[in-house]
Amino acid sequence: MKKKIIIVLSILIIISIIIGIIIFAINKKDVKTVDNSEEIAEEKLGVRVDYTIDQTWQDGENNALKYSVKLINESEENKENWKIVFNVNKTTQISQGWNGKLELNESKLEITPESYNNIIPKDGQIDIGFILLDKEIESIKGYILYIDGKEYKGEEKIKEVEENKEIANVPQISEGTPVSIHGNLSVKGTNIVDKDGNTFIIQGVSTHGIAWFPQYVNEDTFKTLRDNFNVNTIRLAMYSDSSAGYNKDLHEIVSKGVEYASNLGMYVIIDWHVLPEGNPNKNKQNAIEFFEEMTNKYKDYNNIIYEICNEPNGNVTWEKDIKPYAKELISTIRNIDKDSIIIVGTPTWSQDVDIVSKSPIEDANNIVYALHYYAATHKQDLRNKLKTALNNNLPILVSEFGITDASGNGTVDKNEADIWIQTLRENGIGYVCWNLSNKNETSSLLKSTTTKLSDWTEDELSEEGKWLKETYNKN
Ligand code: IDC
């Protein structure tokens, strides 16, 4: 009896072991099948999705993550009607995108073709890019690729973030650009100097009012100015009075401009363009709010310059109106940003630097004072004011000039324009030219018939535009 029980038990144990082995084998086979089918799906199709984060920077509370996506067709035939759905975080937001239509829906970022890239050519690829804003240091957690409505599984696992892609507080700037070479600017004596203490000449272009010509706040435009015009600084002119189109929505355009210039390693002047209101105190509260917003966003950047009042004019004086305004704005900015350069406007449309040089603002670091000229109107008399100011050790920046008359129109005086630039270069003083637009006036850099935003031919430039390109490239 005992023997029988032992035999039955042994048989039962052996059977259990065999069943166990079979279940294990089946399970293992199942896992493998699923794995293979996913891989084979994309392999068979011959289309690969490749994505990387190639730049990161801080954007206020968020990380800005610049993604490049390649849709690579290694098959023998064109593939049409593509769609990629990326799994992203709940906190992900879209900032901007190119070469694809982006739509965000509950942690799914769907990208569909533009009219011109619906087909992925055989042996070819499509490049897509976008900037996402996120609390996390990466947004994409796998994707599904669709071709002609059919689903192809992609990689589900989270991509490792490479060590050098760690979030920095400032944009990662490519080598050889003005900011990568010269770094932090500061004021020493009457000059602006770079991180090594060498005199740095700001050679800039100013936008027209961004309320009227927002299209030129554009990365390709700035790149053309950097690469073909030898421009190292972009000035973003935002008129500050509602009579000249000021409204808070424009802050967004300023921020875009700052990002484009920063990506390109250019310096950028954020200009509170006081003009029709004359007295900067009229819109002081808005100015304070604006610069609080901007400094909070960009305090860690090393390429930002703040211009707090373009051109005070009318019934205002340095002592009574401008200086108190400047002191208050400087303290607003310095509460948040300890060292970026601040440009202070001067009386009479930023011409009376001689008056200011007798009573500059005390106990403030990295301040320069604005001198503005229009070469067909302002000549040796104004250069004499410059001389007086320099003799009194006032740091100066020509944050705006034109080679036309003071209306921004009329004749162009290249002879006087050359004398000005030579004088400024000899004294190590920077200059920023008015204006980046195709408005029908002689101070526009583009002809009014030019609609292209970048890569202009010689023929598409105005007389001032041609002069600028030649003069800046001779530096
Ligand atoms: C001019 C523009 C012109 C516009 C006018 C009024 O060129 O299209 O209609 O402003 O908004 C400045 C100012 C600058 C002027 C420029 C030429 O800073 O805003 O632009 N100028 O008048 N100071 C001296 C000349």
Side-chain angles (χ1 to χ4, degrees), residues 311-325:
E311 292 183 354
N313 63 83
N315 186 22
V316 292
T317 67
W318 173 243
E319 294 299 340
K320 181 169 62 71
D321 309 289
I322 308 169
K323 195 174 181 183
Y325 168 87

Side-chain angles (χ1 to χ4, degrees), residues 265-443:
M266 300 173 85
Y267 295 96
V268 56
I269 299 175
I270 298 179
D271 167 34
W272 183 254
H273 202 80
V274 169
L275 190 70
E277 66 269 49
N279 192 333
N281 292 296
K282 183 186 166 205
N283 297 311
K284 188 177 75 182
Q285 202 45 43
N286 284 344
I288 290 173
E289 283 168 27
F290 173 66
F291 285 107
E292 275 176 349
E293 181 188 331
M294 291 297 136
T295 45
N296 270 314
K297 266 187 174 169
Y298 303 121
K299 59 177 180 293
D300 295 328
Y301 285 43
N302 65 347
N303 62 327
I304 314 285
I305 298 171
Y306 301 103
E307 183 162 12
I308 58 175
C309 51
N310 166 52
E311 292 183 354
N313 63 83
N315 186 22
V316 292
T317 67
W318 173 243
E319 294 299 340
K320 181 169 62 71
D321 309 289
I322 308 169
K323 195 174 181 183
Y325 168 87
K327 280 183 169 171
E328 193 168 345
L329 266 289
I330 290 169
S331 120
T332 301
I333 292 173
R334 285 289 178 257
N335 276 339
I336 304 164
D337 184 325
K338 300 290 171 221
D339 54 11
S340 292
I341 293 180
I342 300 173
I343 309 168
V344 178
T346 56
T348 322
W349 294 279
S350 286
Q351 292 171 39
D352 294 342
V353 284
D354 52 340
I355 294 177
V356 172
S357 70
K358 290 177 195 121
S359 163
I361 295 162
E362 285 162 356
D363 302 324
N365 62 326
N366 291 333
I367 306 293
V368 292
Y369 296 85
L371 170 68
H372 290 181
Y373 67 83
Y374 279 72
T377 304
H378 310 118
K379 305 181 185 210
Q380 193 55 47
D381 283 356
L382 190 55
R383 283 193 292 275
N384 291 342
K385 282 177 181 274
L386 167 66
K387 209 169 163 203
T388 306
L390 290 177
N391 285 340
N392 289 334
N393 281 322
L394 195 76
I396 305 269
L397 177 69
V398 174
S399 55
E400 188 185 299
F401 78 90
I403 68 170
T404 64
D405 70 34
S407 72
N409 213 343
T411 51
V412 160
D413 190 337
K414 288 190 211 166
N415 186 38
E416 200 67 31
D418 288 340
I419 299 174
W420 267 109
I421 292 292
Q422 198 191 332
T423 309
L424 296 176
R425 284 178 177 167
E426 278 167 13
N427 287 286
I429 294 174
Y431 37 84
V432 180
C433 186
W434 183 263
N435 74 74
L436 174 58
S437 82
N438 67 348
K439 185 168 173 173
N440 191 11
E441 60 181 2
T442 49
S443 65

Side-chain angles (χ1 to χ4, degrees), residues 202-207 216-218 221-223 225-226 231-237 257-258 260-262 264 266-271 303 305 432 436:
I202 284 188
Q203 190 157 262
V205 161
S206 176
T207 65
Y216 296 99
V217 179
N218 174 301
T221 310
F222 295 177
K223 188 170 187 296
L225 291 172
R226 185 193 69 180
V231 163
N232 55 33
T233 303
I234 298 289
R235 179 183 191 236
L236 301 166
V258 169
Y260 299 147
S262 305
L264 292 163
M266 300 173 85
Y267 295 96
V268 56
I269 299 175
I270 298 179
D271 167 34
N303 62 327
I305 298 171
V432 180
L436 174 58

